[in-house]
């Protein structure tokens, strides 16, 4: 914690209740953060109060602040302009700093008779044909991918004609996305025609391409080239289908930017959809360490439109924030006329914002190794249970026994919506004999968090605090475990999973009673799978212990074989079957065995043989 915290807070509390810009310095005097405030005293004093409500990024910044200065302005808008200028001048390490490093993209047509279409970020002197440059890499990538599919051009690494007939055609041929020149049955004339059509499509757009293809189809039909006419017809249909797909996304869309964000576990992803001419022509993703969400949103807009020369007339956002009017005024001045900054709540615009936010979640999920579907069900779980944060790391527990014998428990872990089997743990109940599921669950949780306090590494294993604990059971188990968590000062959301008469998860129970889960929701499937998994894991451990002890007890029935010797035999031979098949010499050579005990074990498993042969 910053040793100057109280001194800094005292200085912040003396600030005026006026708009302005504040500048944070570290010990060396370097500027590490610049921000603007509608009311300087209120904004700056928040940094030097309780650190519990700050994100990790903000805490790190505050820990490094040695002093701050401020500049008073006449309005929040003037503060915004000054903030923008100072950030560009000093590039502080804790501000969101965007760089215009996208560069330009090109459509590349490789040299040779069997040319290939691809998109590249750099133009080289390699004899290939380059079309461009284009500012939107998303547009170039999407357009080239569509052209290759529609005109059935190869995208594999095979070389033609060198690789003719050297292997079977790939999946793209079977799903009608490649004409498969690798078979050696495609005429060079037909291939070049498809490549030329693809280039016309990329240069002229879908409507112009359809006109040209239609003329070519009619010409082929007049010349009685019906197979060629049919191929061109299929290409026309594919181009039309792609156009209809775009209309679904961009129907009645204004020329605008749509911006949305998704925050989770210390990371925020901003997604930008750019619409122009009634279609999505570019999209961008930016992922940062998350700080104060409201100032971060404003910072992002400031940074994004600082590096862009063009500002659209309309910008749709997924959230409102305190400085939105100042941002809108700044953007209007940058554009030269009014910019409409809105937060749509219904209609097509709201759907676009929602789609943009889903893509932000997907981008963040992919970075973390999850899918948007898995994040979706975690979002649903968060909303259903009223959690403060997304439950990325979930621990679930179940007890298993048979009439109070071999009392065990299993702990499973779900990370990012998927089982993390390397983190599964088994527990043998040690505190008592007999059957008491409540006491068993309390013991397991107590031992688990004893290990938490002992662990040096707080990022994995027992050293990591879960975001949520789910018990296989109802309010009795929840009440027993809640007492343990309170006693051990562990603050983790706790719920029980309740099954119906068909052994399916019908509800989740906590302090406030049961929360019913509809069987038609993705959350129902997710919780049912988790409850089945923890039950399988616990009962599997229970069966393993019962089997082992059954084997051990059968060995201890042999004269001269106690528990220690039985355990040693099982460890050495691995199974009872191996022990029964061992000869006398092998038994004598086993650890902790004597000649007499080896003979007793041998006779125990070969009694029938001895009675028939009279041996020994």
């Amino acid at each position: 914690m910053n040793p100057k915290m109280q001194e800094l807070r005292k200085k912040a509390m003396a600030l005026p209740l006026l708009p302005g810009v504040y500048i944070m310095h570290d010990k060396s005097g370097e500027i590490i953060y610049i921000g603007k405030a509608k009311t300087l005293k209120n904004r700056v004093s928040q940094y030097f109060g309780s650190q519990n409500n700050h994100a990790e990024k903000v805490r790190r910044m505050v820990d490094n602040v040695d002093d701050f200065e401020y500049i008073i302005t006449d309005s929040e808008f003037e503060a915004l302009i000054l903030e923008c200028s100072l950030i560009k001048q000093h590039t502080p390490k804790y501000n969101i700093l965007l760089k215009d490093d996208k560069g330009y993209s090109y459509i590349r047509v490789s040299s040779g008779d069997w040319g290939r279409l691809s998109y590249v970020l750099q133009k080289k002197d390699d004899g290939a044909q380059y079309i461009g440059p284009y500012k939107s890499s998303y547009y170039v990538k999407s357009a080239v991918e569509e052209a290759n599919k529609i005109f059935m051009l190869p995208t594999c690494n095979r070389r033609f004609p060198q690789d003719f007939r050297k292997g079977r055609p790939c999946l793209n041929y079977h799903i009608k996305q490649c004409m498969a020149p690798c078979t050696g049955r495609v005429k060079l004339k037909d291939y070049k025609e498809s490549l030329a059509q693809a280039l016309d499509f990329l240069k002229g757009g879908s409507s112009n391409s359809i006109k040209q293809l239609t003329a070519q189809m009619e010409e082929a039909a007049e010349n009685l080239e019906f197979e060629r006419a049919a191929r061109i017809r299929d290409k026309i249909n594919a181009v039309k289908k792609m156009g209809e797909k775009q209309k679904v996304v961009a129907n009645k869309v204004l020329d605008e930017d749509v911006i949305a964000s998704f925050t989770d576990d210390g990371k925020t992803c901003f997604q930008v959809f750019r619409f122009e001419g009634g279609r999505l022509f570019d999209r961008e993703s930016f992922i940062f360490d998350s700080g104060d969400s409201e100032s971060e949103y404003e910072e992002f807009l400031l940074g994004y439109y600082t590096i862009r020369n063009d500002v659209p007339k309309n910008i749709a956002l997924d959230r409102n924030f305190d400085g939105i009017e100042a941002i809108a005024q700044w953007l209007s001045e940058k554009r030269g006329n009014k910019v409409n900054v809105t937060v749509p709540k219904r209609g097509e615009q709201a759907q676009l914002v929602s789609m943009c936010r889903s893509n932000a979640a997907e981008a963040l999920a992919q970075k973390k190794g999850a899918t948007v579907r898995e994040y979706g069900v975690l979002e649903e779980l968060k909303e259903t249970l009223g959690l403060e944060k997304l439950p990325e790391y979930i621990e679930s527990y179940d007890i298993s026994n048979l009439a109070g014998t071999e009392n065990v428990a299993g702990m499973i872990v779900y990370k990012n919506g998927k089982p993390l089997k390397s983190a599964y743990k088994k527990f043998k109940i040690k505190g008592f004999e007999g059957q008491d599921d409540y006491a068993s669950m309390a013991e397991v949780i107590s031992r688990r968090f004893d290990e938490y306090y002992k662990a040096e590494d707080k990022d994995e294993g027992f050293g990591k605090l879960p975001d949520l604990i789910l018990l296989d059971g109802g309010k009795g188990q929840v009440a027993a475990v809640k007492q343990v968590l309170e006693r051990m000062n562990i603050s983790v959301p706790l719920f029980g999973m309740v099954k119906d008469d068909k052994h399916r998860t019908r509800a989740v129970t906590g302090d406030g009673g049961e929360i019913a889960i509809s069987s038609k929701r993705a959350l129902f499937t997710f919780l049912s799978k988790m409850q089945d998994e923890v039950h399988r894991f616990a009962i599997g451990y229970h069966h393993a212990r019962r089997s082992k002890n059954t084997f051990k007890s059968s060995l201890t029935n042999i004269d001269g074989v106690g528990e220690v010797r039985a355990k040693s035999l099982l460890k050495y031979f691995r199974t009872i079957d191996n022990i029964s098949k061992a000869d006398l010499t092998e038994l004598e050579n086993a650890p902790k065995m004597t000649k007499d005990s080896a003979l007793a074990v041998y006779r125990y498993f070969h009694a029938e043989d001895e009675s028939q042969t009279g041996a020994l």
Side-chain angles (χ1 to χ4, degrees), residues 550-567:
T550 300
F551 292 154
K552 194 185 294 184
S553 63
S554 68
L555 290 173
T556 54
N557 289 330
I558 304 172
D559 289 341
V561 179
E563 283 214 17
V564 173
R565 192 164 278 163
K567 185 176 180 180

Side-chain angles (χ1 to χ4, degrees), residues 141-316:
K141 179 177 182 291
S142 302
V144 169
E145 287 176 350
E146 290 289 353
N148 279 325
K149 288 178 183 177
I150 291 169
F151 298 96
M152 301 177 68
L153 298 173
T155 57
C156 61
N157 294 322
R158 294 180 182 181
R159 298 175 304 154
F160 308 127
Q162 295 94 324
D163 291 336
F164 281 170
R165 302 182 186 86
K166 287 189 177 179
R168 296 179 180 178
C170 63
L171 177 63
N172 283 347
Y173 168 73
H174 298 288
I175 61 175
K176 300 184 186 294
Q177 289 186 4
C178 180
M179 63 179 69
C182 56
T183 60
R185 295 195 292 268
V186 177
K187 294 178 182 178
L188 179 59
K189 176 186 173 184
D190 294 337
Y191 185 88
K192 285 187 172 182
E193 181 183 58
S194 291
L195 181 60
Q197 291 167 346
L199 288 172
D200 288 338
F201 166 76
L202 290 170
K203 293 175 182 177
S206 58
S207 57
N208 188 55
S209 180
I210 288 173
K211 288 179 184 177
Q212 293 185 10
L213 288 171
T214 302
Q216 292 173 16
M217 180 181 68
E218 290 172 351
E219 180 187 355
E222 287 177 7
N223 294 333
L224 305 181
E225 298 174 287
F226 298 118
E227 287 187 11
R228 178 169 173 260
R231 289 198 302 270
I232 297 174
R233 178 204 61 204
D234 292 342
K235 292 170 185 175
I236 292 171
N237 291 336
V239 172
K240 287 180 177 178
K241 188 175 180 182
M242 184 203 70
E244 290 301 317
K245 181 180 176 183
Q246 288 177 346
K247 285 179 185 176
V248 171
V249 175
N251 187 32
K252 298 179 183 177
V253 173
L254 302 168
D255 289 354
E256 69 174 348
D257 288 352
V258 178
I259 300 176
S261 68
F262 185 86
T263 299
D264 181 56
D265 195 27
K267 296 283 184 185
T268 294
C269 175
F270 285 93
Q271 186 86 188
V272 182
F273 282 178
R274 299 177 65 187
F275 289 90
E276 192 174 279
R279 62 177 289 180
L280 177 66
F281 82 98
D282 199 7
R283 57 178 285 192
E284 299 175 87
S285 289
F286 304 88
I287 297 177
F288 309 102
D289 289 337
S290 186
D292 177 89
S293 57
E294 185 161 306
S295 63
E296 192 170 73
Y297 208 103
E298 190 174 0
E299 270 188 61
F300 173 76
L301 293 174
L302 196 65
Y304 183 70
Y305 288 106
T306 296
I307 66 170
R308 277 193 40 192
N309 294 321
D310 56 324
V311 177
K313 184 174 179 57
N314 303 284
I315 299 173

Side-chain angles (χ1 to χ4, degrees), residues 303-366:
Y304 183 70
Y305 288 106
T306 296
I307 66 170
R308 277 193 40 192
N309 294 321
D310 56 324
V311 177
K313 184 174 179 57
N314 303 284
I315 299 173
L317 307 178
D318 69 326
R319 61 172 293 176
N320 210 331
F321 55 90
D322 194 41
I324 195 169
E325 294 87 359
I327 286 286
Q329 186 179 348
W330 174 69
L331 289 170
S332 297
E333 291 204 358
K334 185 176 175 69
R335 177 180 166 85
N337 51 49
K338 183 174 174 58
V339 174
N340 300 307
V341 180
T342 60
V343 184
K345 299 298 182 185
R346 60 179 66 86
E348 186 179 33
Q349 290 290 301
Q351 291 174 3
L352 286 174
V353 168
S354 177
M355 182 176 72
C356 189
R357 189 171 190 273
S358 295
N359 278 268
E362 172 71 13
L364 197 57
Q366 286 180 354

